[in-house]
């Protein structure tokens, strides 16, 4: 069904086919969830937003957030994700209007797959409260000071060498300061990428390109297209790129058993909690991300992001070539990336790696995010060190919320979770870091048991 032009014996279009590819009779058709769910394949994708059915088959190619993130909701109710990702949904709806092909039949529930309607409604009420209280509005001074401390670190690192020279100790101190500025710039570009700083999306996009491009030498489009998928379907295999371990690791409780039963042994997975220290934190940014960024920019012909990233390397070599020469400058930036990579991996993985990982289960927004996410205790250091991603739960529920408001909404989220029996986990920093290694060992043991005995 759905655009194929099938007819009933009376010659009228069959229910579920009146929408066609272009909206049909002004989107007057009605559909059941079963009919919508049939259109969840590449080249044939429908989704539901506020009970309206849209054919996004062609639109996915032009979706600003990337083709994959919207495709992950094909055949599903995307209402909660739509609200979460778009700070101005009314502006976006004018792009949806030509894609409208109908609505759910009046007898159909608003939620698909038997989701808890009461939970969905309560979370929407919480979101309405958050908007009314102004918790989605940013404080410009906060982000100005944050950018200022990053630029100050950059200036101090260079000033050290100008004033006191290039001894081993000063070069190491310079590297630590640069790694700190790079990590903090990573958290800041993340804010701009989520459109959580300025009301106008264009200003967020410009500042993100400046921070991730000029201050870090990476690509904003690469980051966004990858990161939005993670937010849309966290810890869902084949949909969350952050758990695509390329057969190097087996993760969670199910994937190791699946690999073991199939006798797949690309790596000695029962030792993965050990070799993680050798090929995980040290190599993610300097090797894997670096290759992926360059590949994405060239394959997509993203010359704007490429130009922004080149300004970083031009500035870096102009600043440090007089002190270290070409190869010394390459060694310096490589060491900085090595340090930054450790920082990034541990912060991002302690919130997600020990949590549930599974194939698509089509859960409601709150349940899906809470099953894949935990928090780390609040403290001034934890807030700064993690870019406020110690409030990972609140960030995932409200990705456009400015980070300085996470602590204000956290008690409300916790109360909602308690009401509906949804686990809300908060760990110490030490426990979060330890659980990364513990979860890798557990997954490796599950693989070994399945590999030997199943």
């Amino acid at each position: 069904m759905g655009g194929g032009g099938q007819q009933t014996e009376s010659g009228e279009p069959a229910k579920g086919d009146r929408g066609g590819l272009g909206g049909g009779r002004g989107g007057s058709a009605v559909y059941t969830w079963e009919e919508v769910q049939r259109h969840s394949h590449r080249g044939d994708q429908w989704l539901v937003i506020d009970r309206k059915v849209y054919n996004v088959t062609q639109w996915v190619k032009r979706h600003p957030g990337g083709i994959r993130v919207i495709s992950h909701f094909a055949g599903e109710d995307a209402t909660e994700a739509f609200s979460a990702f778009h700070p101005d949904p009314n502006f976006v709806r004018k792009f949806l209007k030509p894609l409208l092909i109908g609505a759910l039949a009046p007898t159909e529930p608003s939620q698909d797959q038997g989701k808890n309607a009461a939970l969905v409604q309560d979370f929407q009420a919480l979101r309405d409260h958050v908007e009314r209280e102004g918790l989605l509005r940013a404080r410009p001074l906060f982000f100005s000071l944050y950018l200022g401390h990053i630029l100050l670190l950059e200036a101090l690192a260079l000033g050290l060498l100008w004033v006191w020279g290039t001894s081993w100790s000063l070069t190491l101190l310079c590297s630590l300061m640069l790694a700190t500025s790079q990590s903090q710039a990573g958290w800041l570009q993340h804010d701009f990428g989520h459109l959580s700083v300025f009301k106008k999306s264009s200003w967020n996009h410009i500042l993100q390109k400046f921070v991730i491009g000029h201050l870090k030498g990476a690509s904003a489009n690469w980051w966004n297209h990858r990161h939005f998928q993670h937010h849309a379907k966290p810890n869902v295999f084949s949909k969350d790129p952050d758990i695509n371990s390329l057969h190097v690791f087996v993760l969670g409780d199910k994937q190791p058993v699946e690999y073991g039963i199939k006798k797949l042994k690309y790596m000695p997975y029962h030792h993965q909690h050990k070799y993680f220290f050798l090929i995980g934190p040290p190599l993610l940014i300097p090797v894997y991300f670096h290759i992926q960024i360059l590949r994405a920019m060239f394959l997509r012909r993203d010359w704007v992001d490429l130009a922004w990233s080149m300004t970083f390397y031009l500035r870096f070599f102009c600043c440090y070539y007089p002190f270290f020469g070409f190869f010394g400058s390459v060694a310096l930036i490589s060491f900085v990336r090595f340090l930054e990579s450790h920082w990034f991996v541990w912060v991002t993985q302690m919130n997600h790696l020990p949590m549930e990982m599974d194939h698509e289960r089509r859960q409601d927004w709150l349940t899906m995010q809470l099953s894949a996410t935990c928090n780390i205790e609040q403290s001034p250091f934890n807030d700064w060190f993690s870019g406020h991603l110690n409030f990972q739960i609140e960030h995932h529920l409200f990705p456009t919320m400015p980070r300085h408001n996470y602590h204000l909404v956290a008690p409300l989220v916790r109360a909602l979770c308690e009401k509906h029996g949804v686990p809300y986990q908060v760990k110490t920093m030490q426990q979060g870091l330890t659980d990364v290694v513990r979860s890798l060992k557990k997954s490796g043991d599950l693989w070994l048991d399945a590999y030997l005995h199943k």
Side-chain angles (χ1 to χ4, degrees), residues 80 115-116 119-120 362-369:
E80 292 183 295
K115 294 175 183 175
N116 186 335
L119 175 55
V120 173
R362 298 194 176 186
Q363 299 171 303
D364 64 85
W365 187 254
L366 185 137
T367 302
M368 177 177 64
Q369 301 296 345

Side-chain angles (χ1 to χ4, degrees), residues 124-170:
Q124 182 57 49
L126 173 59
R127 182 172 184 85
D128 292 341
H129 173 78
V130 164
E131 292 177 350
R132 287 195 304 270
E133 294 297 312
L135 297 181
L136 297 181
R137 292 197 297 268
R139 298 201 303 267
L141 180 61
F142 174 90
F143 290 101
S144 298
L145 293 175
Y146 204 89
L147 176 59
H149 105 285
I150 293 168
L151 298 177
L152 180 62
L153 283 168
E154 294 271 348
L156 289 175
L158 184 61
L160 274 177
L161 305 181
W162 276 108
V163 176
W164 286 292
T166 57
S167 66
W168 280 104
S169 58
L170 288 174

Side-chain angles (χ1 to χ4, degrees), residues 410-421:
L412 304 178
V413 173
R414 186 193 287 266
L416 179 59
C417 291
E418 290 177 355
K419 176 181 177 181
H420 290 277

Side-chain angles (χ1 to χ4, degrees), residues 28 73 78 92 99 122 127 159 171 194 225 261 281 299 308 318 322-323 360 370 393 417 437 446:
S28 60
F73 287 94
V92 181
L99 311 177
D122 282 353
R127 182 172 184 85
T171 300
H194 278 295
H225 290 180
I261 291 173
L299 288 181
W308 273 108
C318 285
F323 299 103
E360 179 61 74
L370 269 291
I393 291 173
C417 291
V437 181
L446 288 171

Side-chain angles (χ1 to χ4, degrees), residues 228-245:
F228 293 162
Q229 292 181 73
H230 163 68
H231 270 269
K233 297 287 184 175
N235 285 11
V236 175
F237 291 116
S238 79
K239 292 189 175 182
D240 180 359
D242 285 7
I243 61 171
N244 177 16
S245 58

Side-chain angles (χ1 to χ4, degrees), residues 321-332:
Y321 181 87
F323 299 103
F324 302 108
F326 177 77
F327 292 106
S329 298
V330 171
L332 176 63

Side-chain angles (χ1 to χ4, degrees), residues 17 86 113 328:
D17 286 292
H86 302 103
Q113 298 291 320

Side-chain angles (χ1 to χ4, degrees), residues 295-352:
R295 183 174 179 270
M297 290 191 295
F298 280 104
L299 288 181
R300 298 171 185 165
R301 299 182 180 181
D302 192 350
W303 309 129
V304 173
D305 277 13
L306 181 62
W308 273 108
S309 66
M310 289 301 102
T311 65
F312 165 80
Y313 289 102
L314 179 63
R315 174 178 60 85
F316 184 86
F317 280 99
C318 285
C319 290
Y320 292 98
Y321 181 87
F323 299 103
F324 302 108
F326 177 77
F327 292 106
S329 298
V330 171
L332 176 63
I333 189 59
S334 298
F335 183 56
V336 169
R337 293 277 185 250
F338 170 83
L339 296 175
E340 177 198 0
S341 188
H342 282 80
W343 193 330
F344 175 83
V345 169
W346 287 107
V347 167
T348 56
Q349 295 310 304
M350 65 184 178
N351 296 112
H352 294 295

